Amino acid sequence: MTSQSPLILVDGSSYLFRAFHALPPLTNSKGNPTGAAYGVVAMLKKLVQQHQPEHIAVVFDASGKTFRDDMYPEYKANRPPMPDELRSQIAPLHELIKALGLPLVMESGVEADDVIGTLAKHAEARGLNVLISTSDKDMAQLVTDKVKIANSMTDTVMGIPEVIEKFGVPPERIVDYLALMGDSVDNIPGVPGVGPKTAAKWIQEFGSFDAVLARAEEVKGKAGENLRAAAPLLPLSKALATIKCDCQLPFDFDDLKPKAPDTDKLHQLYAELEFKTWLKEILAGESAFGKTGGKSAGKAAAKKAEDSAEVADDPKPSIEIDRSRYETVSTQADFERWLGWLNEAELFAYDSETTSLDEMVAEIVGVSFALSDGRACYIPLAHDYLGAPAQLNRTEVLNALKPLLEDDKKLKIGHNIKYDLKVLANYGITLRGLGYDTMLESYVLDAAGTRHDMDTLALKLLGHQTISFTEIAGKGKDQLTFNQVDVQTASTYAAEDADVTYKLHQQQWPRLQREARLRGVFTDIEMPLVPVLARMERHGVLIDAQKLRQQSHEMAKRIAEIEQQAYELAGRSFNLGSPKQLGQIFFEEMKLPVLQKTPTGAPSTNEEVLEELALDYPLPKLILEHRQFSKLKSTYTDKLPELVNPKTGRVHTSFNQTGAATGRLSSTDPNVQNIPIRTEEGRKIRQAFIAPKGHVLMAADYSQIELRIMAHLSNDPGLTTAFKNGQDVHRATAAEIFEVAPEEVSSEMRRR
């Protein structure tokens, strides 16, 4: 960091209360309060524009008690509870801050002031300038030659001279000043009847807090009586008012660099909160921080804006999304009318509504269709809540739709259409005519884009805020499954999904048509792969669950043995997973060398440090082994047997075509692409993946494809010779590095 770019520390809690009380009670059309969130974001945008920080942290108080509550149970007891209309804005505000790319910090057990104080002191120790943005007078105690206070409401900056002018005492005496005054809001006792002028006068006269207490007898009148009566509690008052500057923080300064704003997330949040001006700016491809932006955040936002400009220049679909054109199909006549339209259409969008995200067990609750002119419908088939209206028979409707859905000449559009393909397979329907998947269209156009979901794309490409599932079904443990959702509510949601899917295709397909190579990737690779992956996922993989359970049992025994060995080496029991306890044992009790430090100056016990210490000391080696076994047990041997489908007896993963910018597949629920292979324990886990009787498992892979490309591009003689001679390139490289013959390279040397 340069002197022109200080570390910016934002007192988020101060911002929040200031904005809540300063701005009118704004709400969106749903009646949800938004004023405080708007005010905080406005102040943050202005701050970033003004200072263009390379490092910044927005710090909020975490929920729960702090060390001050343990010190004084009555601390802040007089504070009224936070108003509901303010509390409800905290979660969306935090989401907004993260979407803006600004580091959000909350640490339990301490207050925001303490985190800010700790970061300020460590930055100062590195010779860095710090600017604390707050309206809290307590922060004045942190001011030094390098640390200043900025008040966003008054646009003033306070250094040492300004602190003395405002409070009558220098920064190093602010805590004394606060302790004598006390604080009725925080319930810090202080001296009754003593205000700012008296507190400053005493410190000026006697020199310090301790001197005031030592010479309390010299203070005359009622003030002196109150001082002497309050004296027993005044050290507590000072302790409560002192900002803790040695917090243990689990991050370093590199974590305080602003990231590129997540414009897709900002689209969503601005639309939900109805911050229309900012939403228009984002949709127009402008920076999230206005025209100037910050050095880091601004550059990243500008890049995002450039990327979005291509989208913004494309014409929007001529047909606006019109929910009045959506229809609920509840009679046979209506269904037959729609079936006729679908059979006449050259192209239509399709979507399934089901009871589960797991396609292997999902049951169809209803289906939706959309046509090119904006007509869309939902056909409810299995809503079964108390009082649900009569619906068409699911079996009869699906049988009637089967010829249409299986006709490979009738092209369909879907969003993540692989899901629909797998769900329909549960009903004996093989979905054919997979023309377009709007999720894959988005991916091929912008593989590095982080979001290809329908809601994000609708905002980005259509400027339309879709109905979210949580709006109609709720959240958490009380969330309804789709069959429990009111039919009319479900109908608008489902028809919109199909309609938006069609319009996303209308927006994206012309762009793909203009890019012949990208169009080829979409039509020749990505779309044909969809049914292949669907078959693989439905088939699943066979595992030996009993073997995994036995391995889990053996690992549990080994973990217990490691713990006992570690206790013996340490001379006492401790939590092997606690960095704090490890640090105490390693560096205070065993006096091991300190190789790295955390941002707060505490010795680090990260993986890199443990690996280096393990070369010379047995306890760090045991800790590494404990971590390895614990991860293998929790991630694989314990979890995989629980994921076996009871009907198929197999584990069914999902292969995601849009999960990696390189074009590789990713695997989730469970991830079967990261089964370890380099350790003996990992290889044992792989042995639990088995073939049925009479079959074998075959592994096929490119032979070091990236290294071959590297050899071709670089013409490096070592690499090219190794490949031409059919050598193991890693063994050849190891032989060169360790200066031994290739046949003398051990597996450990090759791995290193």
Side-chain angles (χ1 to χ4, degrees), residues 416-442:
N416 188 18
I417 203 167
K418 176 158 63 73
Y419 175 87
D420 304 287
L421 190 155
K422 291 171 66 178
V423 169
L424 287 168
N426 295 338
Y427 294 86
I429 297 174
T430 302
L431 186 62
R432 296 190 180 95
L434 306 181
Y436 309 95
D437 187 321
T438 50
M439 180 178 73
L440 294 177
E441 286 178 340
S442 171

Side-chain angles (χ1 to χ4, degrees), residues 360-400:
M360 296 300 296
V361 300
E363 298 178 13
I364 289 179
V365 178
V367 294
S368 57
F369 296 92
L371 300 171
S372 61
D373 60 2
R375 284 176 292 165
C377 76
Y378 175 60
I379 309 173
L381 300 171
H383 291 263
D384 55 7
Y385 57 87
L386 187 64
Q391 297 150 70
L392 295 175
N393 181 275
R394 179 167 61 189
T395 301
E396 292 175 2
V397 167
L398 292 179
N399 285 341

Side-chain angles (χ1 to χ4, degrees), residues 191-202:
V191 180
V194 169
K197 290 184 179 179
T198 303
K201 175 188 171 186
W202 285 350

Side-chain angles (χ1 to χ4, degrees), residues 303-325:
K303 178 64 172 68
K304 274 275 193 177
E306 288 173 14
D307 295 342
S308 299
E310 181 187 347
V311 174
D313 290 340
D314 278 307
K316 296 289 188 290
S318 58
I319 302 173
E320 295 291 327
I321 291 174
D322 183 359
R323 290 174 179 158
S324 68
R325 305 202 70 191

Side-chain angles (χ1 to χ4, degrees), residues 99-161:
L100 285 167
L102 302 179
L104 177 70
V105 178
M106 291 181 291
E107 288 299 317
S108 59
V110 295
E111 297 181 49
D113 294 11
D114 304 312
V115 175
I116 290 172
T118 299
L119 290 172
K121 291 302 179 187
H122 283 288
E124 185 182 14
R126 295 185 179 195
L128 306 173
N129 293 320
V130 180
L131 192 67
I132 302 172
S133 184
T134 183
S135 57
D136 186 353
K137 67 181 185 301
D138 295 8
M139 294 284 194
Q141 65 187 273
L142 299 174
V143 171
T144 67
D145 288 335
K146 289 192 168 293
V147 179
K148 292 181 170 59
I149 304 290
N151 189 322
S152 60
M153 291 292 186
T154 60
D155 279 333
T156 57
V157 175
M158 190 162 57
I160 295 174

Side-chain angles (χ1 to χ4, degrees), residues 667-685:
S667 166
T668 55
D669 302 320
N671 182 351
V672 296
Q673 291 182 324
N674 280 357
I675 309 298
I677 194 172
R678 292 184 175 181
T679 63
E680 181 184 352
E681 292 74 22
R683 290 190 290 274
K684 285 181 180 178
I685 293 172

Side-chain angles (χ1 to χ4, degrees), residues 397-470:
V397 167
L398 292 179
N399 285 341
L401 289 171
K402 183 179 170 83
L404 176 71
L405 295 174
E406 292 190 337
D407 188 344
D408 58 8
K409 294 181 177 60
K410 286 290 183 183
L411 295 185
K412 292 89 178 172
I413 311 168
H415 189 88
N416 188 18
I417 203 167
K418 176 158 63 73
Y419 175 87
D420 304 287
L421 190 155
K422 291 171 66 178
V423 169
L424 287 168
N426 295 338
Y427 294 86
I429 297 174
T430 302
L431 186 62
R432 296 190 180 95
L434 306 181
Y436 309 95
D437 187 321
T438 50
M439 180 178 73
L440 294 177
E441 286 178 340
S442 171
Y443 173 68
V444 172
L445 285 166
D446 182 16
T450 56
R451 302 286 293 275
H452 305 286
D453 61 281
M454 183 191 296
D455 294 345
T456 297
L457 293 177
L459 268 175
K460 180 179 179 180
L461 303 181
L462 308 175
H464 176 73
Q465 174 68 51
T466 55
I467 304 166
S468 70
F469 185 72
T470 56

